[in-house]
Amino acid sequence: MCDAPATRQRTTCRILSLDGGGAKGFYTFGVLREVEALLGGGRLCGQFDLIFGTSTGGIIAALLALGHTVQEVHALYKQHVPKIMGKWLRRTRSAALNELAKTVFDGKTFNDMRTGVGIVATHWDLEKPMIFKSSVAQAHGLKHTFQPGFGVSVADAIKASCSAYPLFEKTTVTIQDGTIVTLIDGGFCANNPTLYAIADAVRALGRSADELRVVSIGVGNYPSPSIRNPRRFALWCLKWFRPVQLLQKTLNVNTVSMEQLRLILFKNIATVRIDESFTKPELATDLIEHDLGKLNLLFLQGRESYAKHEEALKSLLLGDIRGHGT
């Protein structure tokens, strides 16, 4: 069972926002483990009123909102992510993601969510965001026909949010009215979904800006990996390096742009943003990293990043602060 919602003991509205970034989500776990401990070790679905996520952040957000602990989700990542990212072909990589979603979410729907949730995907044809939500209270319109998650299973919504085309295949889902929709990774429209979460809290839920407490977590920024085997360099460039680098650049630009907009539009909203940059060569990595040893290093860096923001997080989540922006 999820812990009793923290809103019963407080008047603030807590938001947790998780960036996309593929395997680099291991950094996110390093931060979340400490946040969970800071809040007494209870499940985060009982501590946050809204949990938004994009791509890998969407997987984590959905599992947390379903009532899993950070440790449980981290264990699933260690078991499955290296296998998925280690696949060579787009087809086999997508098939592995599909199998993971079915296994981990096992028929779950958005009606099963234990707190407000938003999973960000991108509508391929309409070229706009499509956000899978759990509650009609989060709807900005069309409330009378609202269906949690558009009537789509959590597994299908997660596959859509994680379909980082062209590294993964596009995802096709059928929503509640029978319409077939083609979706790709949510990172193309909001790799950092904080603005969308704030919009739900202010515009849909009617919470005032001074009631909000936002924790926004990235995946870290790292040097690009190098290719040490010259005989494989040409093949790597053709099949992996260029597509990965272009996709990574696209997601990075999106992440920074969304953060700049947040600072311009909602600087008065109490927010702690954690997304450190690293320059050490041993931390060189990208979103398709499948070396578990390297991924464990990212987890440790996440914990270090939390330590730098610990006092701000204590004030944000445990104190009654007003108008604090970082």
Side-chain angles (χ1 to χ4, degrees), residues 55 90-91 93-94 97 122 124 159-171 182-188 242-244 246-248 250-251 287:
S55 196
R90 180 171 66 192
R91 173 177 53 82
R93 201 177 307 116
S94 298
L97 175 62
T122 301
W124 174 259
K159 283 188 299 178
S161 183
C162 294
S163 294
Y165 187 79
L167 298 182
F168 288 83
E169 295 176 337
K170 297 186 284 289
T171 294
T182 300
L183 302 168
I184 58 172
D185 195 290
F188 287 102
R242 289 176 182 171
V244 170
L246 178 59
L247 179 58
Q248 185 68 74
T250 300
L251 298 182
L287 56 87

Side-chain angles (χ1 to χ4, degrees), residues 107-126:
K108 296 291 185 181
T109 72
F110 281 82
N111 286 312
D112 296 311
M113 297 297 179
R114 301 180 180 183
T115 192
V117 71
I119 306 301
V120 183
T122 301
H123 197 300
W124 174 259
D125 296 307
L126 299 183

Side-chain angles (χ1 to χ4, degrees), residues 4-11 46:
T7 46
R8 294 176 184 171
Q9 291 82 38
R10 56 185 168 82
T11 59

